[in-house]
Amino acid sequence: MEITSAQLKELRDLTGISVMQCKKALEEAGGDMAKAKIILQKKGGELAQKKSDRALGAGTIGSYVHSTGEVASLVVLSCETDFVSKNAEFATLAREIAMHVAAQAPLYISRAEVDEEALSKAREVFQEEVKDKPAEMQEKILQGKLDAYFKDRILLEQSFIKNPDITIEGMINAAVQKFGEHVSISRIERLSVK
């Protein structure tokens, strides 16, 4: 199948990923734009995993203050080099994540930050809810309830408020793919009048 320059441009405009990666994804997907986007997302996750052990030596702070002046947030978005941290798209990503933090009020950046006490308390509550279920299903149902509960409280697992089709982690993976280096949310702060 012949990949047209119009298809390449459309996929590049949608994803911001290099022309070569877009071309490979379109070829692999047989010209199907939706499949190509999924292939790029999958490869972004794999690439992010490969680069996750690299040192973060630069970054930017994204800020957002809601129009009411009652909610604000700051996000430290880290990367490897000043070259990337000074990029306007990188700064925009940090601001978008800060806006999301202001709106969604996550308690943790990643699942690794969930402390044992919070996990234990949630487990106690949900064990009460599953006690009448069949014994062989209780643990699976309990795990599903815990996952759903913490998904709403963990930034990387939340769906982005401006595009529910992508998670914050997906946005970070896309940034790794776009900028070619390790990108990570190092810190979040949310302030509220109420």
Side-chain angles (χ1 to χ4, degrees), residues 23-34:
K23 184 176 184 198
K24 287 178 185 175
L26 279 167
E27 287 170 349
E28 189 176 327
D32 185 318
M33 191 67 64

Side-chain angles (χ1 to χ4, degrees), residues 180-191:
E181 59 182 60
H182 182 197
V183 174
S184 180
I185 300 169
S186 300
R187 186 172 172 199
I188 60 173
E189 292 292 331
R190 183 179 185 275
L191 302 169

Side-chain angles (χ1 to χ4, degrees), residues 108-120:
Y108 313 98
I109 295 172
S110 70
R111 192 162 287 260
E113 289 184 357
V114 178
D115 58 89
E116 195 54 47
E117 183 180 350
L119 190 57
S120 175

